[in-house]
Amino acid sequence: QPWDIQKSGNFSYIELYKILKRENMAASGGEAKFMISKGLVLVNGAVEFRKRRKTVIGDVVECNGKRVMIVEN
């Protein structure tokens, strides 16, 4: 299943809540957004409250004991 990668100028990104849903850290997009709003998600070691934060290659997302690094394929 392909990632929902977006383009903005010269860089590609995926919104944070979509990563949580895609990697089964959350059961749904709504649950992912709720978890982010409650401060349960870290990006690069810091709590992130922006549901639509643009994550890019090299970012590390952590939630519920699971850790994912965004890499180029």
Side-chain angles (χ1 to χ4, degrees):
Q1 183 177 3
W3 285 84
D4 187 13
I5 303 295
Q6 306 293 317
K7 288 273 190 187
S8 178
N10 291 330
F11 75 98
S12 299
Y13 66 90
I14 184 167
E15 293 171 332
L16 179 57
Y17 82 95
K18 292 179 182 178
I19 292 172
L20 299 183
K21 189 172 93 171
R22 173 78 160 78
E23 292 297 313
N24 296 315
M25 294 175 174
S28 66
E31 182 183 30
K33 290 176 181 178
F34 177 79
M35 292 165 65
I36 296 165
S37 72
K38 293 298 180 185
L40 302 175
V41 180
L42 303 178
V43 177
N44 300 327
V47 174
E48 181 59 67
F49 292 99
R50 295 173 289 168
K51 299 168 190 85
R52 295 186 178 269
R53 182 197 195 278
K54 294 174 173 76
T55 57
V56 296
I57 293 167
D59 283 345
V60 176
V61 177
E62 298 176 67
C63 181
N64 286 336
K66 188 171 179 182
R67 188 172 167 176
V68 176
M69 177 182 267
I70 310 304
V71 297
E72 190 170 12
N73 40 327

